[in-house]
Amino acid sequence: MESNGSLSDFECELISSKSEIYYCSLSSFIQTDMVNMEEVYHTIVHNLSHRKNIEEKSVSLGKMSISEHIAKGLGEEIRDPLSSVNLALDELAADSSIVYNETIQSYLEIIKSNCDRVNQLMQNFISSTETKTLNLQRHNILTVIEEAISEVQDLIIGHNIKLTTEFHQSEQKVLLDKPKIKNALVSVIKNAVEAMQIYPKLIHISSSSDGGMYEIGVEDNGIGVDPKDHEKIFEPFFTTKKRASGLGLTHAQRVLTTHNGSIKLKQLAQGSLFLIRIPIYHEGTLWF
């Protein structure tokens, strides 16, 4: 503005008083008021949030399609060699010359257990990237949230975590596949549990209703996510945690996208906040 005296279609993010982020386009120019001898700024703000959401969803769908093809192809390439290795191990273990050799048998068991682990990891990868038909029914979303919390209650207690909730009481029904949405919520809550290393460990789960969407927030006071990793957290196998598969958030994003919903990360001063949005009732065509 200072150098050119005008601004045309400048895209930026604007934050409201409620800390909501809007993607906008700004056009502005300066006009001199000759009567009052002052400069007047004329500015037009276009809200591009809807377009931005559509673009992000399109990119997300593209990534999911590619991931699904890669997973299936990789699974086929790995499954046959693993079957051959397991068959060879069974034959070797039954060989009369080593059948009573405990040392060799223990080594064979280690090899076999790791083959089984690779096979299970491959199956989880395929499952997390696979598109399945949704069994859509109307459910009270609060019931689904409470069941998801109940499923991880032992994990929360075992990690000595203080869990607080703040739910928007509503009788409105959400059209969803209950087991899939519940599993997605469980994955996000487990991710919050794994993110915390220092006491006190706190998780806050909230819900609200806004503009035809039901929003669920899962907040923790853990280590947060490095800004350079924000774009990677939903990618298969990406994880910064020990002994984690890196498939939980991938699965959650796929489930929510197929429900015409979304999941986004909001970085906090301490910890992270995952915002999950699901249509309260949607008669339109869902993506399968």
Side-chain angles (χ1 to χ4, degrees):
M1 284 291 291
E2 292 181 359
S3 59
N4 300 325
S6 64
L7 194 65
S8 179
D9 295 327
F10 177 75
E11 294 190 11
C12 61
E13 294 181 1
L14 298 181
I15 303 176
S16 70
S17 58
K18 297 180 180 179
S19 297
E20 297 172 333
I21 298 176
Y22 293 91
Y23 297 94
C24 301
S25 170
L26 299 180
S27 295
S28 182
F29 65 92
I30 303 173
Q31 185 179 38
T32 302
D33 185 343
M34 302 304 295
V35 176
N36 297 315
M37 296 304 295
E38 62 182 7
E39 292 182 339
V40 179
Y41 288 81
H42 297 271
T43 303
I44 300 174
V45 181
H46 293 284
N47 188 352
L48 304 179
S49 298
H50 180 65
R51 191 192 77 180
K52 185 74 172 179
N53 290 335
I54 293 176
E55 290 175 352
E56 289 180 351
K57 183 176 180 180
S58 177
V59 171
S60 178
L61 291 175
K63 286 183 178 179
M64 289 195 301
S65 178
I66 293 172
S67 297
E68 183 175 1
H69 285 295
I70 292 174
K72 288 181 177 179
L74 190 60
E76 292 175 359
E77 291 295 325
I78 291 178
R79 191 176 293 114
D80 290 341
L82 276 180
S83 298
S84 299
V85 171
N86 279 316
L87 181 61
L89 287 172
D90 291 338
E91 292 290 332
L92 189 59
D95 190 292
S96 58
S97 64
I98 62 171
V99 70
Y100 297 112
N101 189 317
E102 293 183 0
T103 301
I104 294 178
Q105 291 293 334
S106 66
Y107 287 149
L108 292 177
E109 280 298 318
I110 291 172
I111 297 172
K112 188 172 180 61
S113 65
N114 279 278
C115 285
D116 291 340
R117 185 169 179 268
V118 171
N119 186 54
Q120 186 60 54
L121 186 62
M122 197 68 246
Q123 290 180 359
N124 292 343
F125 179 36
I126 293 173
S127 177
S128 69
T129 59
E130 190 175 20
T131 303
K132 298 179 181 179
T133 302
L134 300 177
N135 178 22
L136 297 171
Q137 296 180 19
R138 299 182 192 179
H139 294 279
N140 186 316
I141 189 62
L142 285 182
T143 302
V144 181
I145 298 172
E146 288 166 354
E147 288 183 10
I149 293 175
S150 177
E151 192 163 315
V152 295
Q153 193 67 48
D154 290 343
L155 182 66
I156 291 172
I157 294 173
H159 283 75
N160 196 21
I161 294 171
K162 181 180 179 181
L163 172 68
T164 58
T165 59
E166 183 181 354
F167 296 145
H168 170 72
Q169 300 297 325
S170 173
E171 296 300 322
Q172 290 176 305
K173 302 292 184 178
V174 178
L175 192 64
L176 51 80
D177 186 317
K178 184 177 178 180
K180 288 184 173 61
I181 289 293
K182 185 169 75 172
N183 287 339
L185 290 173
V186 167
S187 294
V188 177
I189 297 172
K190 283 183 176 179
N191 180 76
V193 170
E194 294 169 353
M196 293 180 290
Q197 300 174 352
I198 302 174
Y199 292 99
K201 298 181 178 181
L202 308 173
I203 291 180
H204 181 67
I205 301 177
S206 61
S207 70
S208 60
S209 176
D210 178 36
M213 302 290 287
Y214 202 94
E215 186 171 86
I216 305 166
V218 180
E219 179 182 343
D220 66 72
N221 67 335
I223 58 177
V225 179
D226 193 310
K228 66 181 178 61
D229 294 333
H230 279 200
E231 299 298 322
K232 304 177 185 177
I233 58 172
F234 297 109
E235 294 179 1
F237 294 118
F238 177 80
T239 180
T240 57
K241 309 180 188 75
K242 295 180 179 179
R243 299 177 183 176
S245 66
L247 294 173
L249 293 179
T250 302
H251 171 68
Q253 185 192 49
R254 176 170 288 270
V255 168
L256 290 161
T257 301
T258 56
H259 280 79
N260 278 337
S262 65
I263 176 171
K264 293 184 178 180
L265 167 67
K266 182 178 181 181
Q267 194 66 45
L268 304 176
Q270 181 179 4
S272 302
L273 170 62
F274 281 91
L275 294 174
I276 297 168
R277 289 172 62 84
I278 308 172
I280 291 175
Y281 186 73
H282 188 74
E283 288 284 8
T285 303
L286 288 173
W287 181 81
F288 293 96

